[in-house]
Amino acid sequence: MTHGRFISLEGGEGAGKSTQLRALATALRARGLEVVETREPGGSEGAEAIRALLLTGGADRWSPRAEALLFAAARADHVEKTIRPALDRGAWVLSDRFLDSSRAYQGMGDLTDADILALHRIGSGGFLPDRTLFLALSEAEAAARARSRDGDASDRIGGRDRSFHLAVARAFTRFAEEEPARFLAIDASGDAEVVTARLLHGLQDLLP
Ligand code: T5A
């Protein structure tokens, strides 16, 4: 019997989260674990429908408060329909973004970190990952990676200005300082295989 674990990957746009999530899943499956790959916003039927509402349309489609509530609602559905059932059967769940993205992206303007945590308590009972791996990458490298994949295209939130994304990066760095047991900053520079090895090292104490 394996013991289910919930791991989230966080970071700015283009840091390599999706790439690393796939590589981590492969590495964990090679150890005989059942692995569920999921993402936010999304990861369940209802949350994927909310994802489309959140990431498309004009910059002012949603007020900051409505946006935060939509993320929290999507997360509540994701936790209830996808994450908890998988953990209950002993699977490892890897999520491309989770609560800390809301804290970094929605919790530093009209709403505070305490507001986002309150929404999470209401929506998902305050449920937290066993470990969060923050892919730390310089602004220039992340922009180059995102550009190589998307050109100049970006979604409703990714398209916000440079100062917004710098504040997001600072928030993630602060979370790593404040919660070192759960939230680990991992150097995301260099070849993908090297980054995967660093991430696996960050999970070492949780592995069966
Ligand atoms: N959001 C999300 C909130 O505001 N609040 C929330 O609560 C949540 C959950 C989601 C958006 O929603 C916001 C944040 C986001 O703006 P998304 O479409 O899910 O958007 O996209 P992102 O999560 O932003 O991630 P991206 O898809 O932009 O980038 P990734 O997944 O970090 O990067 P990835 O793996 O696609 O890699 C980017 C490119 O770099 C290459 C890849 O091949 C790819 O081309 N690459 C590397 N190149 C060189 N060396 C390496 N080591 C590389 N690793 C990857």
Side-chain angles (χ1 to χ4, degrees), residues 70-143:
L70 283 168
F71 274 112
R75 185 160 300 125
D77 196 65
H78 184 208
V79 168
E80 187 184 327
K81 305 274 177 51
T82 303
I83 299 173
R84 282 202 192 276
L87 294 175
D88 285 347
R89 63 173 190 268
W92 278 53
V93 179
L94 306 183
S95 184
D96 188 341
R97 298 191 181 275
F98 191 66
L99 170 69
D100 299 293
S101 280
S102 282
R103 298 175 66 203
Y105 283 78
Q106 280 75 46
M108 54 180 190
D110 289 35
L111 297 176
T112 63
D113 195 38
D115 292 328
I116 300 300
L117 292 171
L119 292 181
H120 189 56
R121 265 196 309 280
I122 295 165
S124 304
F127 177 71
L128 288 176
D130 293 294
R131 179 80 24 92
T132 297
L133 303 169
F134 161 46
L135 276 71
L137 193 64
S138 74
E139 185 191 4
E141 276 183 274

